[in-house]
Amino acid sequence: MGRREVRRFKKVLHIRTVEREITQGELAVRLQEESEILGRISDIENRRDSALADFCAGRDEAVSPQQFWLERQNIDVMERDLSDGRQELDLCRGRIEDTKAELLARHQNVQLMEKYVGRLKERADMEMISEEQKALDDVTSMRYLKNMRREA
C-alpha cells in the first residue's frame, strides 16, 4: 500500500511541477511581450518628439497651411498610437500580475505536495523496515526453535 501511494502521489507532484514550469514559460512570454510593447512605445515617442520639434521649429521657407495640417495630423496619429500602446501595456502588465499570482499558487502547491510525498515516503520506508524486522524476527525465532529442538 505505501509504495503504491508514494508512486501515485509522485505522479501528481510531477504533474504539478510541469504545470508550474508551463506557468513560468507563460510569464516569460508575457515579460517579453511587455518589453516589445515598451520598445514600440519608446520608438513612437521618439518619432513624435522629433515630429513636434520639426513642427515647432522656425522655418526658412514658406510652408502651406495644408503642409501644417498634414504634419499636425501625423502627430495626432502618433499620439493615438501612443495611447493605444499604453493601453496595451496596461493590459499586458495586468496579465503579468495574474500570471505571477498563478505561478506563486502553483509553486506553493508544488512545495506542499513535495512535503506530503516526503512524509509518505518516510512512512512507507518505516513500514518496509518494520516488515523486514518482523521477517528477521520470524527467521530468528524459527532458528532458535530449531536449535532448541536439536538440543533436546
Side-chain angles (χ1 to χ4, degrees):
M1 170 72 179
R3 290 286 171 200
R4 283 188 304 209
E5 191 175 10
V6 170
R7 272 196 308 272
R8 188 173 80 231
F9 279 99
K10 276 188 174 181
K11 288 178 185 178
V12 172
L13 173 60
H14 175 72
I15 289 168
R16 290 187 181 173
T17 302
V18 168
E19 289 172 343
R20 179 181 63 184
E21 290 168 0
I22 289 169
T23 305
Q24 286 171 329
E26 290 171 3
L27 179 60
V29 167
R30 289 187 184 0
L31 291 171
Q32 178 63 35
E33 180 183 352
E34 177 189 38
S35 177
E36 290 170 4
I37 293 169
L38 286 169
R40 282 197 318 260
I41 288 173
S42 178
D43 289 345
I44 295 169
E45 285 175 339
N46 290 337
R47 286 187 321 204
R48 182 214 44 204
D49 292 345
S50 177
L52 274 172
D54 289 347
F55 185 76
C56 295
R59 301 170 192 233
D60 294 335
E61 73 278 351
V63 179
S64 70
Q66 183 179 10
Q67 180 64 30
F68 272 125
W69 184 84
L70 287 173
E71 288 178 13
R72 182 64 205 162
Q73 290 300 311
N74 186 35
I75 292 170
D76 288 345
V77 166
M78 286 185 236
E79 289 291 342
R80 282 193 298 272
D81 289 347
L82 275 174
S83 177
D84 292 346
R86 288 182 181 123
Q87 285 178 348
E88 185 180 1
L89 181 61
D90 288 343
L91 289 171
C92 180
R93 286 181 172 164
R95 289 190 300 267
I96 286 171
E97 291 307 312
D98 292 345
T99 305
K100 283 181 179 179
E102 182 181 350
L103 180 59
L104 178 62
R106 290 190 187 277
H107 181 67
Q108 289 170 341
N109 207 343
V110 166
Q111 286 181 324
L112 287 172
M113 187 56 66
E114 284 173 339
K115 287 179 186 176
Y116 184 68
V117 168
R119 284 191 302 251
L120 284 177
K121 188 174 179 325
E122 285 176 18
R123 192 172 69 202
D125 289 346
M126 293 303 287
E127 287 175 5
M128 185 180 71
I129 290 170
S130 177
E131 289 173 13
E132 287 176 357
Q133 186 62 47
K134 285 179 187 175
L136 287 173
D137 290 346
D138 288 346
V139 169
T140 303
S141 296
M142 290 187 332
R143 283 187 178 168
Y144 177 76
L145 289 173
K146 187 176 181 182
N147 285 339
M148 290 299 284
R149 287 184 188 149
R150 280 187 191 163
E151 291 177 9

